[in-house]
Amino acid sequence: MSNAPYYHQIGKEVDVFEHTYKNKLPILLKGPTGTGKTRFIEYMADKLDKELITIACHEETSSTDLIGRYIIKGTETVWLDGPLTKAVKEGAIIYLDEVAEARPDVIVAIHPLTDHRREMYIDKLGQTIKAHEDFMLVASFNPGYQRGFKELKPSTKQRFVALSFDYPDEKIEQEILENETGIGSDIAKKLVRIANKIRNLTELGLTETVSTRLLVDAAKLINTGLPKRLAVKVAVVEPLSDEPEIIEALEDLANLLI
């Protein structure tokens, strides 16, 4: 398709995903924020020509949100399928982004879909539904986030085929910026250099570091005429910290490189 999402393959992840899909296995995408996990799944859904349903999980996400609920419609109570039930019935790919953030009952609800049973139980209806042939469960997880505050249990992880994502090497990251934003290679190179310098600054104790996504934002701002240093400050430096001293240190570093 001409409007297919742009994705730069780094290893054998496309092959792994295709074989996982063929074998009706669930897959877990591991890695820091902004390393292309969501873009990868959008690219694969497009490549396989499958509907993709994405759920951004957070601490309030419950199994009811995914499975469905009764709602009042006029004078009657009707059952409304949730996105997971819809995907299971229709054979879509469901993507649970940051699954470890969700409430524990979400993990309990997806367990029977991640083994040989490939089924889900809808407690409120007293029904068990077998997954459609084409159904696939994909989840993502950021292992380093908040240093183990929200972890996935080993027993859950072992139900998935897992792929690790990390920041691409300089040349590939530069290509991604150029393709995504149309920025010149000179600026792309400088942005990637800034990112790698900051990623190596472990002594600042940043919870998150510079993602490719932040660089894409900076490149877009520069492309539409925002001054380079200001673009880097607002798109790369400011999102990383709220501490004035850290912001100043990162800004000084970035200014030397662009």
Side-chain angles (χ1 to χ4, degrees), residues 165-220:
F165 283 70
D166 208 343
Y167 304 109
D169 68 34
E170 289 194 24
K171 193 171 177 305
I172 291 174
E173 195 160 35
Q174 197 183 313
E175 273 178 42
I176 291 169
L177 291 188
E178 290 171 31
N179 271 288
E180 282 283 303
T181 68
I183 198 89
S185 62
D186 180 45
I187 300 289
K189 196 178 283 184
K190 286 176 178 173
L191 288 172
V192 170
R193 203 166 288 156
I194 289 168
N196 284 323
K197 281 277 191 221
I198 295 174
R199 286 167 189 162
N200 292 324
L201 285 177
T202 47
E203 64 274 16
L204 289 181
L206 297 169
T207 317
E208 295 278 0
T209 191
V210 184
S211 66
T212 306
R213 187 189 299 146
L214 293 185
L215 296 184
V216 167
D217 292 347
K220 284 177 176 172

Side-chain angles (χ1 to χ4, degrees), residues 18-72:
E18 285 178 337
H19 282 274
T20 306
Y21 181 77
K22 239 176 247 173
N23 286 287
K24 300 181 173 33
L25 298 169
I27 195 163
L28 181 66
L29 312 179
K30 303 189 296 180
T33 299
T35 47
K37 300 187 296 294
T38 301
R39 178 57 62 91
F40 171 65
I41 182 64
E42 287 170 354
Y43 171 79
M44 290 310 303
D46 184 85
K47 194 172 189 304
L48 295 167
D49 197 20
K50 294 291 162 210
E51 185 190 353
L52 175 65
I53 298 172
T54 299
I55 308 294
C57 298
H58 51 81
E59 61 274 11
E60 294 301 317
T61 307
S62 69
S63 58
T64 299
D65 296 326
L66 297 186
I67 293 169
R69 48 168 57 87
Y70 280 108
I71 59 161
I72 308 292

